[in-house]
Amino acid sequence: MNTLLLGVRVLLFALSTFGYLTFAHRKTRISVDFLPALVFTGQICILFFAGLLNLLPLAVPALFLVGLLLALGSLHYRKQYRDFVTPALIFFALACLYFLLLLKGVLFTGYDNFSHWALVVKQMLQTDRFPTWQDPIILFQGYPLGSSVFIYYVSRLISTVSEGCQMFAQTMLTISLILPVFSGIRKRKLPGFLLLLGASLFFLSYIATPDSLYVDTLLPLCGAFGFLLLNRELEVDEHTAWLTVLPTVAVIMIKNSGIFFWALIAGRVLIYWIRHRKTASSMQRRSWLTVMLFPLFSLLAWNRHVAYVFTSAESSPHSMSLSVYLANIQAKLADGTIPQITRAFLLQVLHGRILLLLLAVLLLATLYARFQKLPRPAFGRLALFLVLVYAAYQLGSLCMYLFSMPEGEALMMAGYPRYYGSIAIFCLAIALYHFGKWMDMVPVPTAFIFTFVFLFVFCLMGANPRILLRHSGETQRDRLEALIQEYGLQPDSACLVYVPADDSGYTYHLVKYALYTATVDVHNSSAGEDISEVVETARDLGYDYLICFDTENDKLNLYCAEMFGVPEGTPVIALQ
């Protein structure tokens, strides 16, 4: 019965989404391959501002019902349904169905899921609002909630208790943002479809896999979608850019560093404006100005919201505030670590090879076209653009390590693989779009040759087909969930936790997330502390449970057996 009800909810969600797709198809002049991403980024914008106004519980059913009404209204235009039968949209539908089934029952395991990305979705599903001072469990108070509001929307409609549903929502959003990259392929459909499959596998497995809510893949794909959509809008007769507002707002609301991709889009608009300043109409100017300024207004509204609902917003980790930047740079100046951080950053940059592989493929295609007397691709300007964008992004990343990131994290280059992966994905997405347009102009054998060249490059860069399979083996999350069931641990319980010496903080965030509690005190029994003193202090403070993940520690086991009369190795002990 539960499976049947879940199936009905999925079908109703799909029908509501289809209503928006058909409406967008009638009202816009862009390719249908752009429409899923356009609809989803539009929903992100609506839900985000609804959240700022504390109207999330009303926005979800309203969006859903409007979609159903649009789907019913589309019956009058049912001849347009055939326009949606494209290789890209068929792939989108089948991929969504596959991941919906694959991710059913899967639990989060990644560190950053528990520290923020999945935790904030859990908070929103429990309270139907954005985090506030009433939610001390939320540590990263200044992080925007762009992808989180979309996951909240899908989960509210399908399942509020399934973590797999949350993974599915993010994966569906990611796949929708991949489709526009291949919208330029119209004639060479078979090699184009193979390229879409290979690129999707790479994008979904490189830095953020479908079983997590990390946004490091979502962010650059949204930026690439906004950039490509802008170019498509400027090509049509009106030369306006109203639609580009949606992904440009969404990319800033997904993550603070999305402001880089806003800057690229705004820069493109500004250059176009300067070139056409004498012939531009007032409507065109208004649309261009909106693309450049409205995302900044959205970011300002978010920052004002955070400052209003959190008393310590400016001092929260990774907050975008001048006081945090000054404190970080002053600490690094005082300790003399700026040269060390800079050297470590440059070494990381020199180890990156994805851009070099991409430029090599573009050079190979250019030389091949010249010797075979084929239509020559305009890859020279593309290569220059990618190099400049890459250099600007890396300069921004260095400034982030110097100004925004705490000193300890900056010294170890925390998060660099994900930051590097984001700009690599953006560059690859833009290059694939232009490569696809060139593929349509060359003979079929040439299209297949370079499709397989790119597939080989995807393998070199780390495409991993294992994301298409369910993982086996017990994880620490599985063990904790088993303990919760066996000992009846209650949400919001205060927990004293003992961990092995090699624990890096993972268990702290895991227990916080699983029990949805802000009161977690983690200790290492090998650190030389007096165990009896720690436990007695926790009991006096009203802690509910002692959870032991270091069950092989003889000293801890002996103390618990003598103090509480339990067998040695008992993992959970009630303190009250």
Side-chain angles (χ1 to χ4, degrees):
M1 184 62 182
N2 289 337
T3 302
L4 178 61
L5 180 60
L6 180 65
V8 171
R9 289 182 173 182
V10 170
L11 288 175
L12 288 174
F13 168 75
L15 184 61
S16 177
T17 302
F18 184 69
Y20 284 107
L21 293 175
T22 56
F23 178 78
H25 184 41
R26 292 199 305 273
K27 298 298 181 180
T28 65
R29 303 179 58 184
I30 61 174
S31 166
V32 293
D33 297 343
F34 280 77
L35 295 183
L38 183 67
V39 167
F40 293 156
T41 53
Q43 291 174 338
I44 286 174
C45 294
I46 293 171
L47 291 163
F48 171 75
F49 285 105
L52 292 182
L53 297 172
N54 204 22
L55 296 175
L56 278 179
L58 296 177
V60 170
L63 269 180
F64 173 66
L65 292 175
V66 169
L68 290 180
L69 292 175
L70 291 173
L72 291 174
S74 71
L75 293 173
H76 184 66
Y77 307 94
R78 54 186 175 275
K79 288 185 179 179
Q80 70 172 339
Y81 291 171
R82 69 186 68 175
D83 297 339
F84 291 92
V85 185
T86 68
L89 290 185
I90 292 173
F91 165 76
F92 174 70
L94 293 178
C96 288
L97 178 61
Y98 179 81
F99 281 107
L100 177 67
L101 298 175
L102 178 71
L103 297 171
K104 183 180 179 182
V106 177
L107 299 177
F108 293 117
T109 56
Y111 182 104
D112 284 359
N113 287 312
F114 302 138
S115 65
H116 180 73
W117 300 112
L119 181 63
V120 75
V121 173
K122 188 171 187 177
Q123 178 273 329
M124 290 169 62
L125 287 171
Q126 293 197 8
T127 62
D128 288 318
R129 57 168 172 75
F130 282 178
T132 68
W133 59 271
Q134 298 172 289
D135 307 296
I137 195 171
I138 302 299
L139 180 62
F140 300 94
Q141 300 166 353
Y143 276 15
L145 302 173
S147 59
S148 302
V149 292
F150 182 77
I151 297 166
Y152 167 84
Y153 171 67
V154 176
S155 298
R156 269 284 165 225
L157 297 178
I158 297 178
S159 174
T160 58
V161 297
S162 169
E163 295 182 9
C165 180
Q166 298 172 30
M167 301 173 193
F168 161 72
Q170 177 124 318
T171 302
M172 177 175 60
L173 177 59
T174 303
I175 296 173
S176 76
L177 294 168
I178 294 173
L179 302 185
V181 174
F182 300 93
S183 60
I185 302 174
R186 292 300 172 202
K187 298 177 183 177
R188 305 294 180 249
K189 292 187 177 181
L190 182 55
F193 189 71
L194 292 175
L195 194 60
L196 171 61
L197 291 177
S200 298
L201 180 64
F202 171 73
F203 288 140
L204 291 172
S205 63
Y206 179 44
I207 48 176
T209 53
D211 60 354
S212 77
L213 299 186
Y214 297 177
V215 298
D216 305 281
T217 295
L218 197 64
L219 180 74
L221 288 175
C222 189
F225 167 57
F227 197 82
L228 297 177
L229 179 60
L230 173 65
N231 289 334
R232 182 63 63 91
E233 281 200 279
L234 295 178
E235 290 172 0
V236 301
D237 295 338
E238 291 83 359
H239 305 295
T240 58
W242 294 112
L243 296 178
T244 307
V245 175
L246 301 179
T248 312
V249 170
V251 76
I252 284 186
M253 291 303 104
I254 288 173
K255 196 176 183 182
N256 289 330
S257 53
I259 198 168
F260 174 81
F261 299 107
W262 161 83
L264 286 181
I265 295 171
R268 174 73 175 91
V269 171
L270 185 60
I271 292 172
Y272 189 87
W273 193 336
I274 293 173
R275 289 177 177 175
H276 298 83
R277 62 185 180 278
K278 295 182 179 179
T279 59
S281 66
S282 59
M283 178 176 289
Q284 290 170 344
R285 291 191 182 97
R286 284 197 299 270
S287 73
W288 302 339
L289 195 63
T290 303
V291 169
M292 291 191 290
L293 297 184
F294 193 72
L296 294 181
F297 166 77
S298 305
L299 182 60
L300 177 62
W302 168 251
N303 287 335
R304 295 303 301 167
H305 167 81
V306 171
Y308 180 74
V309 300
F310 289 110
T311 56
S312 58
E314 289 195 355
S315 60
S316 65
H318 301 283
S319 172
M320 291 183 66
S321 66
L322 184 61
S323 60
V324 170
Y325 296 159
L326 290 176
N328 283 328
I329 195 66
Q330 287 172 357
K332 291 161 188 170
L333 286 171
D335 295 339
T337 56
I338 289 180
Q340 185 179 349
I341 293 171
T342 304
R343 283 194 299 271
F345 181 82
L346 292 176
L347 286 175
Q348 293 288 342
V349 172
L350 293 175
H351 280 103
R353 62 174 184 172
I354 290 182
L355 183 64
L356 293 177
L357 284 172
L358 186 55
L359 294 176
V361 173
L362 296 180
L363 177 62
L364 178 63
T366 302
L367 295 175
Y368 186 88
R370 173 175 293 183
F371 287 118
Q372 295 295 324
K373 301 187 185 320
L374 300 174
R376 294 187 183 180
F379 288 162
R381 293 174 61 184
L382 173 63
L384 178 61
F385 171 77
L386 297 180
V387 170
L388 292 176
V389 168
Y390 179 82
Y393 182 90
Q394 292 288 27
L395 181 61
S397 296
L398 176 59
C399 291
M400 179 201 65
Y401 278 104
L402 294 177
F403 289 92
S404 176
M405 190 170 287
E407 185 176 17
E409 296 179 29
L411 286 169
M412 66 175 66
M413 289 289 108
Y416 181 83
R418 296 205 305 272
Y419 304 142
Y420 170 75
S422 290
I423 191 57
I425 285 175
F426 177 83
C427 291
L428 180 60
I430 299 298
L432 283 172
Y433 173 77
H434 290 279
F435 177 78
K437 294 180 70 174
W438 177 69
M439 267 179 46
D440 264 8
M441 299 186 293
V442 300
V444 174
T446 301
F448 273 107
I449 288 173
F450 280 93
T451 294
F452 286 114
V453 168
F454 262 110
L455 293 178
F456 178 68
V457 170
F458 294 148
C459 292
L460 290 179
M461 292 191 297
N464 189 350
R466 285 184 293 179
I467 65 165
L468 302 176
L469 304 173
R470 291 192 67 141
H471 299 295
S472 58
E474 188 182 48
T475 65
Q476 189 168 344
R477 172 72 191 281
D478 294 326
R479 292 193 290 273
L480 178 57
E481 291 296 330
L483 294 179
I484 292 173
Q485 294 297 321
E486 181 180 354
Y487 290 91
L489 303 184
Q490 297 301 309
D492 201 27
S493 299
C495 298
L496 172 65
V497 182
Y498 271 93
V499 298
D502 59 353
D503 186 88
S504 60
Y506 176 85
T507 304
Y508 168 75
H509 292 291
L510 169 61
V511 175
K512 273 184 63 177
Y513 174 84
L515 290 176
Y516 195 69
T517 176
T519 312
V520 178
D521 189 14
V522 175
H523 289 265
N524 176 0
S525 53
S526 302
E529 295 179 312
D530 187 333
I531 297 176
S532 62
E533 182 178 341
V534 171
V535 174
E536 287 304 316
T537 301
R539 296 183 72 176
D540 292 341
L541 292 174
Y543 276 61
D544 300 292
Y545 300 105
L546 166 62
I547 303 177
C548 182
F549 285 97
D550 192 14
T551 53
E552 297 182 359
N553 187 295
D554 294 335
K555 182 180 178 182
L556 178 63
N557 289 336
L558 181 60
Y559 169 81
C560 291
E562 293 178 350
M563 182 66 188
F564 299 101
V566 297
E568 291 190 17
T570 299
V572 177
I573 299 170
L575 296 179
Q576 301 299 325

